[in-house]
Amino acid sequence: SALLILPCALLSYAGYNAFNQLLVADALENVAPIPKGIWLQLVAVLAFVVALWGYNLIHRVQRFLTVSFIILFGLYTVGLIFTIGLPTGSFDLGGFRAAPFLGAFGLAMSYNLGWALYVSDYSRYLPASVGVRASFQWTYWGMAISAIWLTALGATVAWPVVAGGGDPGVIDQLRTTGDALFS
């Protein structure tokens, strides 16, 4: 079974790292006028240095990023609620189509379920005093809340563009709505 798990784990880790690194580079390119290719290299070097430095630095960086993102997306969410103008009928379920909804739901769910490899790696290093139940609960609720919150946020930001027949470029929409909130 190890021969089957190893290639799957390597593909999963490579895929997540590539996807997340591209997302970060796209976002940073919108904030600072540096080409995405350079951001990709800088982010890769930074991640390598943090990983090389080790366990304690990884945890400090993760704590900092978690608190920072909760504050940033909290402010963004509150601001968005008060400023975004959704098209008339946005909450009318009369035109609901199950196939696109289930497709988007499946993508969001598979992304979260794919983190199981990371979680199992991480949970091996927890102290023996941390039980399986606590580890599962913190992981489950962290993933569930963030997935529901940020998926709903992304759908809300993209909806006016989609309703108008446009392509909802995620980073472009975040920049547009973010600029409206935080000039």
Side-chain angles (χ1 to χ4, degrees):
S1 71
L3 291 176
L4 178 62
I5 292 173
L6 182 61
C8 291
L10 287 174
L11 282 172
S12 178
Y13 286 154
Y16 274 111
N17 286 318
F19 174 78
N20 290 326
Q21 188 172 350
L22 284 167
L23 192 59
V24 168
D26 277 345
L28 289 171
E29 185 181 37
N30 275 288
V31 175
I34 297 172
K36 182 171 36 176
I38 293 174
W39 278 122
L40 286 169
Q41 293 171 29
L42 290 172
V43 169
V45 168
L46 182 62
F48 179 75
V49 168
V50 170
L52 190 63
W53 198 266
Y55 182 83
N56 290 330
L57 182 58
I58 291 170
H59 282 266
R60 282 196 303 270
V61 168
Q62 287 299 98
R63 278 188 215 103
F64 170 77
L65 290 173
T66 298
V67 170
S68 299
F69 284 137
I70 289 171
I71 291 169
L72 176 70
F73 282 109
L75 290 171
Y76 181 76
T77 301
V78 170
L80 196 65
I81 289 169
F82 290 107
T83 60
I84 194 166
L86 293 174
T88 304
S90 293
F91 295 102
D92 178 15
L93 297 179
F96 177 77
R97 295 189 328 241
F101 172 79
L102 291 174
F105 180 79
L107 287 171
M109 188 172 61
S110 66
Y111 183 83
N112 276 333
L113 290 174
W115 278 97
L117 292 168
Y118 280 110
V119 172
S120 64
D121 261 0
Y122 174 79
S123 61
R124 280 188 287 173
Y125 302 106
L126 291 173
S129 60
V130 177
V132 172
R133 182 183 179 101
S135 181
F136 177 82
Q137 291 290 337
W138 279 101
T139 303
Y140 175 80
W141 287 112
M143 292 299 290
I145 291 168
S146 64
I148 292 166
W149 177 18
L150 296 179
T151 300
L153 189 64
T156 302
V157 168
W159 179 245
V161 177
V162 173
D167 180 15
V170 176
I171 299 299
D172 292 336
Q173 281 305 102
L174 287 173
R175 183 185 63 238
T176 301
T177 54
D179 286 349
L181 297 175
F182 310 108
S183 59

